[in-house]
Amino acid sequence: MQLYNTLSAEERAVMIDDAGKQRLTLSFYAYAHLQNPTQFRNELFLAWNTLDVLGRIYVANEGINAQLSLPADHFYAFKDTIEKYDFMKGIRLNIAVEHDDYSFLKLTIKVRDKIVADGLEDETFDVTNIGIHLKAKQFNELLEDPNTIVVDMRNHYESEIGHFTNAIKPDVDTFRESLPIIENQLSEHKQDKNLLMYCTGGIRCEKASAYFKHKGFENVYQLEGGIIEYTRQVKAEGLESKFIGKNFVFDHRLGERITDDIVSQCHQCGKPCDVHTNCVNEGCHLLFIQCEDCKTAMEGCCSSECVDVIHLSEEEQKEIRRGVKNGNKIFKKGKSDVLTFKI
């Protein structure tokens, strides 16, 4: 019984080409109380592997967080596999703004302590006691209220390339860092202001809204379905997009174009640019913004040191990498001293 991916990304890409089917990229999440997340994980893998589902999925005692792709003609069969679970019946599936058959090339389902790491050890905190969900039109209307404070619950490398106008954008690397920062910054407005939050697909706002209610904030709102669903509703209803720039996504695309606005700059030359890349040096992989001119000049690297490394033999590069752990460094692009134009 196969419970793990056995094909390389290259082999999977060839299979996608050979199949000749359009794929859908989508995301969803659900908070729930799962007694046996490992069994749940295995059931999902067996069901989805047969449907050619690919993606990155996390499950935990508190629920599921999924970003994945699947052949379009398997969509309804896929829905059947998730709606067999009561807590996922009628769940909203966020379809990606931009189409890409190769957004994911492996099926990875991991059991985690939490589906959104929050650093909280508070047994009195109820993650299901959430704020009020707002659709795009309602969200736009509340943005115009002078008593509204809008907060971006994403990380710095996400908000840098696109955000809602006038949003507070915490300079953080992780979600867990943002919670105490926002609480302290807005502590005087727990009763007199509307706390309006947004994130990519809604999962972080869902937990954040419950957290801020737990901390005494009275008027807590969140963008239903996040930026992905907001964009879909804006297009469908002919609304003005208050979100400008690109929406960062956690697959190889690293972003979906929402508006034509370029709100960030190349980290190497300062020219307007909002294209993320990972340094091609296998021992670095720093995530940063790089324009086409700098990509050519720097051969896809973040620094001259990395350019030197990629010209070494493979054995020499492996020797340099041996024993080195980058951890979360790849996302600390704005903090890297090798970048001239950084946050």
Side-chain angles (χ1 to χ4, degrees), residues 251-266:
D251 57 53
H252 83 91
R253 297 171 298 161
L254 297 177
E256 294 180 322
R257 170 74 51 202
I258 307 300
T259 71
D260 293 332
D261 304 272
I262 308 295
V263 300
S264 51
Q265 61 185 355
C266 173

Side-chain angles (χ1 to χ4, degrees), residues 120 122 125 183 190-191 209-217:
L120 302 177
D122 183 351
F125 171 50
E183 182 190 355
K190 290 186 176 182
Q191 285 79 40
S209 71
Y211 173 82
F212 290 121
K213 287 184 68 177
H214 180 65
K215 290 296 184 176
F217 287 81

Side-chain angles (χ1 to χ4, degrees), residues 77-336:
F78 169 78
K79 282 191 69 176
D80 290 341
T81 67
I82 59 177
E83 294 196 343
K84 65 178 286 189
Y85 301 96
D86 288 341
F87 75 95
M88 289 195 287
K89 285 183 178 177
I91 193 171
R92 181 187 58 253
L93 302 177
N94 290 324
I95 307 297
V97 176
E98 297 178 344
H99 169 70
D100 189 328
D101 286 340
Y102 309 95
S103 54
F104 293 101
L105 294 174
K106 291 184 179 181
L107 175 57
T108 303
I109 309 178
K110 294 184 177 181
V111 176
R112 293 282 180 87
D113 291 334
K114 297 184 179 182
I115 55 174
V116 176
D118 53 30
L120 302 177
E121 298 294 339
D122 183 351
E123 294 183 0
T124 67
F125 171 50
D126 181 5
V127 72
T128 65
N129 182 24
I130 62 175
I132 299 171
H133 284 191
L134 297 178
K135 296 190 181 299
K137 187 174 185 295
Q138 298 169 307
F139 191 86
N140 280 359
E141 291 170 351
L142 200 55
L143 280 175
E144 301 301 320
D145 189 327
N147 287 318
T148 292
I149 298 174
V150 58
V151 179
D152 194 321
M153 293 306 304
R154 303 171 302 156
N155 305 325
H156 67 90
Y157 52 88
E158 299 173 81
S159 61
E160 184 176 17
I161 60 171
H163 49 77
F164 280 94
T165 53
N166 300 320
I168 294 173
K169 303 182 291 295
D171 183 18
V172 296
D173 300 315
T174 63
F175 173 74
R176 70 173 68 194
E177 294 175 68
S178 66
L179 295 177
I181 290 174
I182 295 169
E183 182 190 355
N184 292 335
Q185 187 172 347
L186 304 181
S187 61
E188 297 180 358
H189 300 294
K190 290 186 176 182
Q191 285 79 40
D192 66 330
K193 296 291 185 181
N194 301 315
L195 178 56
L196 185 57
M197 294 175 291
Y198 69 91
C199 58
T200 306
I203 187 170
R204 285 175 281 186
C205 289
E206 192 99 346
K207 179 170 281 191
S209 71
Y211 173 82
F212 290 121
K213 287 184 68 177
H214 180 65
K215 290 296 184 176
F217 287 81
E218 295 183 358
N219 306 303
V220 181
Y221 301 85
Q222 65 192 91
L223 179 58
E224 182 180 13
I227 300 162
I228 297 173
E229 176 63 13
Y230 174 86
T231 302
R232 189 195 68 77
Q233 292 179 18
V234 162
K235 291 181 178 179
E237 300 173 27
L239 304 175
E240 177 188 0
S241 177
K242 300 288 187 178
F243 184 95
I244 57 175
K246 290 174 73 175
N247 179 30
F248 186 96
V249 292
F250 291 88
D251 57 53
H252 83 91
R253 297 171 298 161
L254 297 177
E256 294 180 322
R257 170 74 51 202
I258 307 300
T259 71
D260 293 332
D261 304 272
I262 308 295
V263 300
S264 51
Q265 61 185 355
C266 173
H267 286 158
Q268 292 177 318
C269 72
K271 186 164 59 179
C273 179
D274 57 10
V275 179
H276 273 113
T277 189
N278 287 108
C279 179
V280 299
N281 174 13
E282 293 288 344
C284 178
H285 274 185
L286 183 75
L287 180 74
F288 68 107
I289 297 175
Q290 186 179 52
C291 69
E292 282 299 318
D293 290 341
C294 288
K295 183 175 183 178
T296 299
M298 298 296 294
E299 300 181 63
C301 291
C302 67
S303 65
S304 56
E305 289 77 12
C306 283
V307 173
D308 292 339
V309 169
I310 66 171
H311 287 288
L312 298 174
S313 69
E314 184 60 33
E315 287 303 314
E316 290 174 306
Q317 291 185 49
K318 287 181 179 178
E319 185 62 32
I320 292 173
R321 295 198 299 269
R322 186 167 288 121
V324 177
K325 296 185 182 299
N326 284 327
N328 202 38
K329 171 193 167 188
I330 61 171
F331 292 121
K332 297 181 184 293
K333 62 168 178 41
K335 315 314 195 272
S336 175

Side-chain angles (χ1 to χ4, degrees), residues 39-57:
Q39 178 182 331
F40 176 61
R41 177 259 174 219
N42 292 343
E43 290 174 1
L44 293 181
F45 191 95
L46 290 172
W48 292 354
N49 193 45
T50 60
L51 295 175
D52 295 326
V53 174
L54 305 173
R56 185 185 304 112
I57 298 94

Side-chain angles (χ1 to χ4, degrees), residues 23-39:
R23 299 180 67 87
L24 296 176
T25 299
L26 57 87
S27 62
F28 66 91
Y29 69 90
Y31 285 99
H33 299 291
L34 299 179
Q35 298 301 314
N36 191 334
T38 298
Q39 178 182 331

